[in-house]
Amino acid sequence: MNPSELRPESVVVAAGRPPREPDAPLSTPIVLTAPFHASDENRYSRHHGTETVRSFEQAVGALEGGEAVAFSSGVAGVAAVAEGQPTGTVAVVPSAAYSGSIAIFDEQERLGRMVLRRVDVADTAAVVAAVRDADLVWLETVTNPLMGVVDLPTVIGQAHAAGATVCVDSTFSTPLVARPLQYGADLVLHSVTKYLGGHSDIVMGVLVAGSPDRAEALRNRRGLTGGMPGALESYLALRGVRTLAVRMERAQANAGELARRLAAHPAVTRVRYPGLPDDPGHELAARLHDGFGAVISFEVAGTAEYAESVCTRVELVTHATSLGGVESLIERRARHSMDAEHGTPPTLLRLSVGIEHVEDLWADLSQALS
Ligand SMILES: *Cc1c(COP(=O)(O)O)cnc(C)c1O
């Protein structure tokens, strides 16, 4: 069956399998090799990968509706895009976003390779004003950690009218919630470390290109700079993808319930979650996404020390950076100097909601907040 005829919940299970032939394995083997026996192509794993990597790429490509190129980490994907741009590139980048992406663009500016225009990418008018004469526009579907929702069709339309390439970091959304290529994006990035892997046990990334030319350019860059992921990581990532739909279903249901309860809690002053009807991003997310994701940011009343103490009091939820795993994680983002510099409120806690029972999560958060 052609994966493009299936719904995403079936694609995650069916895509990226070995061919259905008698005695063929159902699951992709973990192929551990650097060279292959010589042929006209003269294969070598840094350049050509293995069938384990390609199976993962097929699954993600089918989910996003493009051609996937896997990388050894999410930031290796960001670097492949940034460093593949010619010197003199004018790039519109988020003023607040995933800190690793910002660090890569900041370095490009410091090296004199790029001119940056930093904007709040959830402010549609501001991005549209900034894209004139731009070469590259970097977006996040939902901004990290303030949870602003980006108006992808409007911004991508304007960026293309200006002749810019648009790359959308869709890590927070996953292909179950948002498919930016449908809105015309040229490239989509995922930190596979997060939801696609889903178990907080690997570091890996993937870029999905809307055209074969862009995919080929990324594969060349990956071979050139050594960004190929390992076979074991690729296997675990594909295994994670198999359960992506059910994990997202539970995590999003949990997140919706916890966001409502947090919003009514006396120790919480503000909740940022696009699923709440009064959230500034609600209307856009309801219109453009299939769901509201499972990351909640909320501010607590009191000091940064109190916010930090909430993170040390949780017992089921884990105090750690990262997101997108089966286990719930919490963190005070302003503890990272770069987030603090980019205006993250000092008492903002980012909660990545996992797939535990919602009542156990609520009991834990309530005791930690009191
Ligand atoms: C984690 C993350 C990245 C970077 O991915 P790594 O796999 O850690 O290199 C990029 N973007 C977002 C939104 C992330 O959360």
Side-chain angles (χ1 to χ4, degrees):
M1 200 166 192
N2 183 348
S4 67
E5 293 161 14
L6 298 172
R7 292 165 183 80
E9 291 82 354
S10 308
V11 176
V12 295
V13 175
R17 298 265 182 193
R20 291 179 176 236
E21 290 161 7
D23 288 332
L26 257 73
S27 305
T28 302
I30 303 172
V31 177
L32 293 168
T33 189
F36 295 78
H37 289 282
S39 71
D40 293 345
E41 254 194 287
N42 222 0
R43 283 181 176 275
Y44 182 62
S45 285
R46 170 162 55 78
H47 284 292
H48 303 96
T50 63
E51 98 186 71
T52 323
V53 181
R54 280 192 296 280
S55 296
F56 170 77
E57 291 176 336
Q58 275 164 21
V60 175
L63 279 170
E64 289 284 4
E67 210 171 309
V69 182
F71 282 85
S72 53
S73 68
V75 296
V78 182
V81 175
E83 293 169 4
Q85 288 290 127
T87 297
T89 287
V90 175
V92 175
V93 300
S95 46
Y98 178 69
S99 54
S101 310
I102 291 193
I104 287 173
F105 285 109
D106 285 354
E107 186 196 41
Q108 292 292 308
E109 184 182 53
R110 250 191 342 269
L111 294 173
R113 294 195 67 252
M114 275 191 189
V115 176
L116 300 187
R117 294 180 188 155
R118 297 178 179 82
V119 292
D120 173 3
V121 289
D123 178 345
T124 307
V127 205
V128 167
V131 296
R132 213 166 59 85
D133 306 327
D135 304 297
L136 177 69
V137 178
W138 189 268
L139 303 171
E140 293 183 339
T141 45
V142 180
T143 62
N144 179 19
L146 296 180
M147 305 304 293
V149 179
V150 175
D151 184 346
L152 289 182
T154 303
V155 170
I156 293 169
Q158 295 290 321
H160 280 172
T165 295
V166 182
C167 184
V168 182
D169 183 338
S170 194
T171 299
F172 274 41
S173 301
T174 83
L176 271 295
V177 171
R179 283 169 298 283
L181 295 182
Q182 286 181 349
Y183 294 123
D186 301 293
L187 295 166
V188 176
L189 175 90
H190 290 284
S191 168
V192 177
T193 313
K194 316 295 167 54
Y195 288 103
L196 296 185
H199 296 76
S200 307
D201 52 4
I202 54 168
V203 171
M204 194 172 148
V206 67
L207 280 163
V208 192
S211 76
D213 287 358
R214 287 191 195 279
E216 187 58 19
L218 290 170
R219 278 190 291 267
N220 288 339
R221 175 138 287 277
R222 178 180 63 180
L224 198 63
T225 56
M228 184 68 75
L232 183 58
E233 280 78 4
S234 302
Y235 178 86
L236 288 169
L238 182 55
R239 189 177 168 104
V241 166
R242 298 293 180 227
T243 56
L244 178 63
V246 286
R247 285 188 286 108
M248 284 307 285
E249 197 177 311
R250 167 69 79 87
Q252 292 189 92
N254 282 353
E257 186 57 32
L258 293 179
R260 274 187 294 281
R261 294 189 192 185
L262 284 168
H265 194 285
V268 175
T269 55
R270 179 167 181 190
V271 178
R272 302 169 195 245
Y273 178 67
L276 293 175
D278 58 354
D279 189 88
H282 180 73
E283 184 272 330
L284 271 176
R287 183 154 54 82
L288 303 177
H289 298 176
D290 294 331
F292 301 110
V295 179
I296 302 171
S297 285
F298 62 100
E299 287 164 64
V300 291
T303 61
E305 288 69 34
Y306 165 69
E308 198 69 43
S309 76
V310 173
C311 301
T312 55
R313 274 197 298 272
V314 287
E315 293 170 0
L316 172 62
V317 177
T318 302
H319 182 203
T321 197
S322 196
L323 58 116
V326 291
E327 59 287 293
S328 298
L329 302 183
I330 196 165
E331 182 184 33
R332 191 177 70 87
R333 285 302 298 180
R335 76 202 309 257
H336 303 283
S337 58
M338 190 180 281
D339 273 55
E341 284 159 25
H342 292 127
T344 300
T347 67
L348 181 137
L349 299 176
R350 190 184 71 189
L351 176 66
S352 170
V353 181
I355 65 170
E356 302 92 338
H357 196 290
V358 69
E359 296 301 341
D360 291 329
L361 288 174
W362 181 243
D364 192 31
L365 287 171
S366 315
Q367 66 79 22
L369 283 165
S370 65

